[in-house]
Amino acid sequence: LKSARESLASVGRAPGSGGLRVEAPSPRAAAPAPPPTRRSGGAAATMASRVGAPMRRLLQQHMSNRRGYIPSIKFRAGSTALGQRSAEELIGQLRQVIQKQDSIGGLQQLSNEWFSRADVDRSMALEAEELASLMDSVGLPLQGQEVQTFFSYFDPKNSGSVSYSQFTQTLRGDMPQFAASLAFMNQYRGHYPSAMVTLKSDLAIFDQEEAEEWVESLDAVVQHHGPTRTRFLLHELLDEAVRKGVKVSPPITTPMVNSIPTSAEPDYPGDRALEQRISNLVRWNAAVMVSDGNKRASGVGGHIGTFASMCDIWEVGMNHFFRGKAYPGGMGDQLYMQGHAAPGAYARAYLEGRLSLEKIMNFRQEVSGNGVSSYPHPRLMPDFWENPTVSMGIGPLSAVTQARFFRYLHLRGMADTSASRVWCFIGDGEMDEPESIYAIARAGYERLNNLIMIVNCNYQRLDGPVRGNSKVIQEFEGVFRGAGYDVIKLIWGSQWNELVDNDPDGAFIEILERTPDGDCQRYAAKQDGALLRKEMFEDNGIADRVAHWSDEELLSAYMHPGGHDHKKIYAAMMQAERNAESGGRPTVILAKTLKGYSLATFTGRNTVHQQKTMKDEEMMSFRNVLDIPLSDEQIKMGGAGLGGEFFRNPGLESPEVKYICERREQLGGFYPTRTPAQVSSIIEIPAWDTYELFDKGNPKPMSTTMAFANLLRKLMKLGDFGKRCCPMVTDEARTFGLNAFFHEFKIHAPFGQHYTPVDHDSLMKYSEAPDGQMLQEGISEAGALCTWIACGTSYASQGCPMLPFFIYYSMFGFQRVGDFIWQAADARARGFLLGATAGRTTLNGEGLQHQDGHSNLIAISNPAVIAWDPAFAYEVSYIIGDGIQKMWGEDKDLIYYISLYNENHPMPPVPEVTTCGLSAKDACLKGLYKFQEAPADKALTVRLIGSGSIMQQVLGAVDLLAEYGVGCEIWSATNIGELHREAYKAERYARLHPLEPPPSFWVKDCLGDYDGVTVLSTDNISQYGQLLDKYVGGDFVILGTDGFGRSDTREQLRRFFEIDKENVAVAALTALARQGKVSPQVAAEAIEKFGIKYDRPDICMDGHWP
C-alpha cells in the first residue's frame, strides 16, 4: 500500500517515471490457477452442439462477442454399462436429459424437484441417496457405485451433502453468466461482467508506457494477492487520489465491512449499561403492546418484528441525536419513522410519562378517544405525530422534500433551520418503491446535507426475503453512492467484526460477500452455531479462524450485527451528524439488523411480519433474553388478557426514566411532539377587498387560470403575508400564465444561477436565485406534492406559516398521486391545490386519461379536501379568500382544491341577484347560487345549472330554449361536494333525532321545493352531479362526460359527450315533454334540428370503427 501511494504521488512528474510495483510473494504464497484459455474459431459451434436448440442462436451470438469461449466441463454421452459409468459420462447423460425437455424446461423441472425434496431441510441441501432419487425422477437412474461417484463429483470436500448452489455451479462450470436458466446464474455475488470493457482499447491514453506499467502492476497484485486484496488496494488508491484533490468518482460499492473501523470509533458518551436496560424495556413494552392488544381485541393487528429490529438505533438516536422543539437553530429535527415500528414510539413515551398505561393498552382502539393510532397519524394524534409514513415510499420522498424546504426557509430568511436535521428510517423492502428511488436521486442532486437516511436492512419484506439471491446492502450502497450520498455501512457488531478485522487475505470478506441474503436470513432463523460453522467456515476452508469459539459464541456474534451494537450505532450516527454539520452531501446509514431481534421464535422467520401475538412460553423466553423483572405468574395473568400486568415502567424516580428525561431535556424536549403555531394570532391576513378585483367583470376573454395568476401576483406583493405565499409548479408555469413570475419573484435555486439563460435579454427571463420565492419542482407531481406538504405543515414543523399554491395539470393530481394528498390531509397540511387545464372537453387536445372529468368526485372521498369548480373569475377570487380565512384566520386544517380551466371567455360582473336571502358572494361560498333570474314573459321555465367552463354552454342554451317559449333560471354550482356533505350531515341528524323536525340544508333550500325541470351540465362525469340527485325537486336531468377522453375540438368533444348547449336544450325539452308541458314532437324536432344522434360509435368500448 505504501508503494502504491508513492506511485500515485509520482504520476505526472515525468512520462513513464512511475508505476505501481509489487514485490514477488514469499514462497509460501500459493499462486492461483492460470486463467482459462481462449481460442478463436469453432468454439461456438462446439458449444452449441451440446445445448438445446432454443439456446443455439444466443450462444452463437455470445461466442462471437467472447471471441471463442471454451467451457471447462466437456459434456458427452457415454456407452458404458449401467452401474459402471464415470462421473463425466453421468454428467453428459444428465445434459442430454435436460436437452430433451428443451433446456429451460428441463432445468425448471430439475429445480422444482430439488426444492420439493429439500423443503423439509432449510439448508436446501441433499444427501447422496436423496440426490440419487432426484436423478431418477428426472430420467437419470443411478445404480450401484454410480450413486457415490455422481455425488462425490458435486461434493469434493466430502461434506456429506450438496446444496443447490453447489450443484448448479459445478454443473455449469465456466459457462457464460446468461446461461439457460436463472437457476444457473450466480446472481448474488454483486460483481457482474460488462460488455463495455471492450471499449477501453478505443479510449485515449496519455502515456502508453506508464499506463502499461500500471496494468502490469495490477496483474501482479491479482496474481500474487488475489482479487479481494486487489479491491482493497484500488479503493485505497481512489481515496488517496481524492485526498490529493484529484476529481475522480469513488466506486459505487466497497468491500462488505463497516465504513467506520473499530480504531476510529469515538468514545461512547452515555451509560451503555443503563441505555441497554432502557432499550430492553422499550422493546419489551412495544412487543407486548401489540400482543396484549390482539388478545383483548382480536384482529386489531399491529407489528412486532419491525421495531424489534430498529429499537437500538432508535434508542441511540433518542439519547444522543434527535433534537426536540426547544433545541437552538430551528424547531428541532423532523423524523420519519417506519410506520410499522410505531409501537416503539408509544413504548418510550409510556416510560417518559407522556402516554398512560390505559392509552397504550388501547393500541389501535381509537373510537373511544382513549387509544393510540396504528401508525404515525397526526390527524388522529395531533399533539404527538408530525409525519405520516406508513404508505410505503411516501416517507423517504417526504423526508427529502422536508429537508429541501428547511433549506428554502433558511435561504429566504423566513426561519433559522441551521440546526434542524431530517432523519428518515426506511425498510430495505421499502426501497422497491419508485418514490424511494426518486427520493434518493433528488436528495443527491440537491446536495441535502441536512438529510440523514437510515435503511433498516433486516433482509426481509412482508412475506419473505427482500432479494434472497442478492446482497442488498451492497446493492443499496451502489444506488446511494451513485446518487451522491456519503454512505456509512453499519454491518457487523463488535464480536463478529473481530473476524473481519483479522482477515489477512480477504478470504472471509469474500465469503461474506458471496453468501446470499437468503442464507444469512436462514442462519438467523435456525440459530444453529454448528450449521453456521459448517457452511460458512468449514466448507470454505477457514474453520481455523473460529476454532477458539464455541458454537454458542459463534452464534452470539452472528446474532448481534452492527444495527444492534450501541457503540457502533453511535459511531455511525455521529459521523452522519458531522456530515450534516460540515459536509456537502446527504448521508445514508445502511444498518444490518435482524427482524424480530431478541424474539427467539420470531427472528428471521418469513412469518415474523404477521406475528401479532406471543404465547406465554414465547413471552417468558423474551423476558429472559431482555432480563425483564417479571414473574411467570404475571406473564400468565397478562397473557390471559386480564390487564397490563406485564407492561414494565420502573417509575419517574427510577434511574432509567431519570436518564431518558435528562437526555431529552439536553436535546430540546420529548420526541416525537407536534407543536403547531396558532397562525391566526401571528399573521395578519389580507382584507376582504383584496379579493374584489374581478367584481366588475371584464369583457375581454380570459380563463379562470389567468384569473388565479392575477390574484396570486397581487397576494404575493402584500408585505409579510406575500412573502409567505409559495407558488410551485411542475415545469408548466408558462402553460398556466406564471412565466411572468420568473423575473419578478425568481425561482428558488440554492446554489444560484451560474449560467446565462437563453432568454436573458427578455423581460420575463428565466431567473434563479437562492432566495427565490417560486418553487420549480421539475416533472414530478409526487415530489411537488411532498414539497407542498412540507410547506403546508411548516406552521407546525418550524412555527413558520407558509401558504403553498401548487398549480398542475389536473389529471396528474388525485388520479396520479392521490396517496400523497391523503398524506397531506393526515399531516394536517394547509394550502391550495390548483387543478388547471381541467375538464374532459376543455383540455381538448390530450385524450384518454389526460382529460380530467373525475378529480372533483375523487376529492370528496378525502374528508379534509374541499373541492371547488368555479366558472367565473370572481368565484375563483372569493374561493381563495375563503380558504385563506378558514386556514389562517380560523386555524382549520383544510385543503382547498380548485378546478381551473384554460378556455377564454368574457368574465361577467358579480350578479346582484340574491339566493335565499344571501348575496352572490355568500351563496357562492356555500356551493350554489342563482346567477340569473328567468324572464317573466315566458310561459314555461326551467332551471339550468352549470359549473366550470360548461357554464358557457348552459348560458348558450338560454337563447335556444327561448325559441321554444321556455325561459331559463341560471344557477352556478361552485361546490357540489360540499352541498352533498352538508345534506348527508343533516340527514344523519334527522335520523338520530326522530322527535325533532328534520333540519334544512342549502341544496334543499335552493332546489328542493320545486316540481319543474332542472338540468345540470358540467365537464365532470355524471356521478359527480348525482351527488345532488335526491335533493333536487321535480325532474332532475344530469349531463356529464362519462367515458374515456379523446382528442378533438371542444365543439366536437362537447357534442360527443352531450354536454353542449344543444344537448342542454334538448334535455330540458325532453323533460318538459315527460311532464306533459310540451309535446314530445317538440323535443323530437329539436333533436333533428340540432343534429343530435342517438348512435354514438365509441372505439374505446366498442372496438374498431365499422
Side-chain angles (χ1 to χ4, degrees), residues 728-790:
M728 54 186 69
V729 294
T730 50
D731 205 34
E732 288 284 359
R734 299 181 192 277
T735 302
F736 307 135
L738 299 183
N739 49 315
F741 287 38
F742 293 165
H743 177 63
E744 185 171 8
F745 300 107
K746 293 186 173 49
I747 299 166
H748 176 68
F751 310 109
Q753 189 170 27
H754 302 289
Y755 66 95
T756 302
V758 67
D759 57 357
H760 68 96
D761 53 356
S762 66
L763 180 62
M764 294 186 289
K765 62 183 178 183
Y766 197 84
S767 183
E768 301 176 276
D771 61 348
Q773 189 167 355
M774 188 175 188
L775 284 167
Q776 165 60 273
E777 294 297 292
I779 306 175
S780 172
E781 283 76 21
L785 248 301
C786 289
T787 300
W788 187 91
I789 294 170

Side-chain angles (χ1 to χ4, degrees), residues 238-257:
L238 284 171
D239 290 342
E240 186 71 15
V242 172
R243 287 191 286 269
K244 292 183 180 299
V246 179
K247 294 182 179 179
V248 59
S249 297
I252 63 169
T253 58
T254 60
M256 198 168 176
V257 299

Side-chain angles (χ1 to χ4, degrees), residues 977-1022:
E978 288 307 293
L979 295 174
H980 173 80
R981 283 173 172 168
E982 183 194 25
Y984 182 80
K985 290 178 181 177
E987 289 180 323
R988 176 179 178 271
Y989 185 91
R991 183 174 72 251
L992 299 177
H993 295 80
L995 302 179
E996 300 178 19
S1000 188
F1001 42 93
W1002 188 244
V1003 65
K1004 180 181 177 182
D1005 293 342
C1006 295
L1007 305 178
D1009 188 14
Y1010 185 70
D1011 60 0
V1013 170
T1014 302
V1015 178
L1016 168 68
S1017 186
T1018 76
D1019 219 355
N1020 300 280
I1021 58 177
S1022 61

Side-chain angles (χ1 to χ4, degrees), residues 838-844 851 901-905 947-954 1017-1019 1039-1041 1046 1048-1064 1092 1096:
R840 187 145 294 172
T841 69
T842 305
L843 179 62
N844 55 308
Q851 289 174 306
Y901 296 82
N902 65 347
E903 183 175 9
N904 294 323
H905 54 80
S947 70
S949 278
I950 302 307
M951 176 60 84
Q952 299 303 305
Q953 302 302 311
V954 170
S1017 186
T1018 76
D1019 219 355
L1039 303 181
T1041 54
R1046 60 211 67 215
D1048 213 311
T1049 64
R1050 287 177 179 142
E1051 293 74 20
Q1052 289 291 340
L1053 290 173
R1054 287 164 180 170
R1055 174 53 56 92
F1056 178 84
F1057 286 108
E1058 299 172 351
I1059 60 168
D1060 59 3
K1061 60 185 179 181
E1062 292 83 4
N1063 274 284
V1064 172
I1092 297 173
R1096 183 176 64 173

Side-chain angles (χ1 to χ4, degrees), residues 282-295 303-305 308 596-603 608 610-623 626 628 630 635-636 638-641 646-647:
V282 172
R283 183 181 276 113
W284 169 268
N285 285 334
V288 298
M289 184 188 311
V290 178
S291 179
D292 172 63
N294 279 272
K295 288 176 180 177
H303 306 278
I304 296 175
Y597 176 78
S598 70
L599 292 149
T601 57
F602 289 15
T603 306
V608 63
Q610 282 70 39
Q611 293 287 346
K612 315 297 181 187
T613 60
M614 293 184 288
K615 300 175 183 176
D616 290 351
E617 295 76 15
E618 292 172 325
M619 291 188 69
M620 292 175 190
S621 172
F622 189 31
R623 171 204 60 191
L626 299 182
I628 300 297
L630 204 63
I635 288 177
K636 291 177 181 179
F646 48 78
F647 285 94

Side-chain angles (χ1 to χ4, degrees), residues 786-799:
C786 289
T787 300
W788 187 91
I789 294 170
C791 181
T793 57
S794 61
Y795 72 97
S797 64
Q798 286 292 339

Side-chain angles (χ1 to χ4, degrees), residues 914-916 928-932 943-947 951 954 969-973 1002 1005-1007:
T914 61
T915 305
C916 299
L928 180 70
Y929 70 99
K930 188 185 295 183
F931 177 76
Q932 181 177 298
R943 292 188 306 201
L944 304 182
I945 307 175
S947 70
M951 176 60 84
V954 170
E969 184 179 273
I970 307 299
W971 291 72
S972 178
W1002 188 244
D1005 293 342
C1006 295
L1007 305 178

